Every structure is written in C-alpha cells, then in structure tokens.
Amino acid sequence: LEAVLSAHDQNAIDRTEFIKTEVFLNFISAPDNAGYKNMFYSVQQEDGRFIMRFIPWDTDMSMGVTWTNGFVYDYTKSVEMYITRMERNNLTQDHIALNEMVASYWKQVRKQIYTEENIKQLLTENITIINNTGAYLRDMQKWGTRYDETDTHDALFAWLSDRLTVVDSQYAD
C-alpha cells in the first residue's frame, strides 16, 4: 500500500475514487474506515492499467455510535465528527487543490445523490428488505434494542438529516 501511495505513474491512487470514498465515509461518519484496520481493496484492470478501489466495511457501528472505552451512543460526537482517509496527506502533497476537489464533488452529489429524500428512500427500501427476510426480528429477539433505544428508524433518519447539515458546513467554501 505504501508503494501505491507514493506512486506517481499509472499505479497511483485513483483520485476520483479516493474523493468518492472520502465523501461517503465522511457522510456516514465511519471512523473505522479511516485507515487503520481490516482494509479491503478491489483491484480491477481497466483501460490497460490496474485500478485499486477501497471497499468500505464495518458500517454497522456508525451513524451515532462512537468509541470511548467501549461502544457508546454519542449523538453529538458522531454527527460532528470529520472523517478523512489516511491517504489524504500523501495525496494533498501531489494535489494541492484536493480540499477544493472534495468540496466540489460533495456539492455536485449533494444535489443528485445525497439528498435527504433519496437517502431516506434507500434506507426505507433496505429496511423493508431486511424486515421481509425476518433477520431484523431474529436480531431483536436475540439481542434486543441497544443504546437506550436510540437505534430506531426515526433516530437513524434524524441522525442522517443532521449529518447532512454538518457535512454541508464542512465542505462549504
């Protein structure tokens, strides 16, 4: 990975994929994906070169749950957290305008993809799929409700709405 991070040729990190990943991880407040454990990558050949893409993981402990000597529900901390990938410092050296590029990408996808309506629709559809399999019911029967019942759908939707506002301000000019 260090060789890839320092590469300046066709094997360098794909800047566009980095920007997409950083925006996604920052939106869902996923600190476990910042670069220190269980990193998953996909290497695919495209246009005569190999492209390495980061695959986000462990998103189950995001969106309101933080680590403070154990997993705790800290709404404010998780909403206000700013996430960046470990590669950012390396990329910033080669791409001085990286901050502006990330902000520009956020503003573009904020209007098309990261809308509150779109995210709520996607979550509702996925919650329905999970409910229809019986997995959610089995999980609740085995583990019960956690984090003082702050893991409800309404709490998740409220967190997402607040998180959009915070990320908007992080990527403001």
Side-chain angles (χ1 to χ4, degrees):
L1 180 58
E2 287 182 13
V4 174
L5 292 177
S6 62
H8 297 284
D9 58 9
Q10 66 179 3
N11 295 315
I13 289 177
D14 185 286
R15 186 177 58 206
T16 302
E17 292 303 317
F18 172 86
I19 290 170
K20 289 179 182 179
T21 301
E22 180 160 315
V23 164
F24 174 74
L25 295 179
N26 194 29
F27 167 64
I28 65 170
S29 187
D32 280 356
N33 289 275
Y36 61 91
K37 62 181 184 176
N38 292 352
M39 298 292 96
F40 295 99
Y41 295 89
S42 167
V43 178
Q44 300 169 332
Q45 192 168 13
E46 291 181 13
D47 301 324
R49 66 184 187 126
F50 288 96
I51 304 293
M52 182 171 75
R53 292 189 172 93
F54 171 71
I55 302 169
W57 80 284
D58 194 25
T59 56
D60 60 326
M61 297 309 290
S62 303
M63 300 184 181
V65 180
T66 60
W67 178 263
T68 309
N69 297 322
F71 288 114
V72 296
Y73 188 84
D74 187 331
Y75 191 91
T76 302
K77 181 179 178 182
S78 70
V79 165
E80 295 176 357
M81 187 179 299
Y82 182 69
I83 307 297
T84 60
R85 295 276 303 142
M86 69 176 188
E87 298 94 344
R88 177 176 263 280
N89 290 339
N90 295 61
L91 288 175
T92 303
Q93 292 174 9
D94 293 330
H95 307 287
I96 304 300
L98 184 63
N99 291 335
E100 291 82 13
M101 296 161 93
V102 173
S104 175
Y105 177 74
W106 170 254
K107 289 172 186 164
Q108 173 191 343
V109 296
R110 179 68 169 94
K111 297 174 186 172
Q112 303 165 2
I113 299 169
Y114 288 91
T115 66
E116 191 167 336
E117 297 77 21
N118 188 36
I119 293 168
K120 282 185 177 182
Q121 179 182 347
L122 289 170
L123 280 172
T124 301
E125 290 170 3
N126 284 295
I127 288 168
T128 300
I129 291 169
I130 292 170
N131 283 341
N132 289 342
T133 68
Y136 189 69
L137 178 60
R138 289 189 301 274
D139 185 75
M140 294 298 287
Q141 289 171 338
K142 181 166 178 77
W143 302 107
T145 303
R146 299 179 67 194
Y147 311 115
D148 301 321
E149 299 195 28
T150 53
D151 59 347
T152 64
H153 300 147
D154 288 342
L156 178 59
F157 291 147
W159 185 92
L160 291 167
S161 178
D162 289 345
R163 185 68 182 159
L164 283 170
T165 301
V166 168
V167 176
D168 284 340
S169 68
Q170 289 172 348
Y171 292 137
D173 290 337

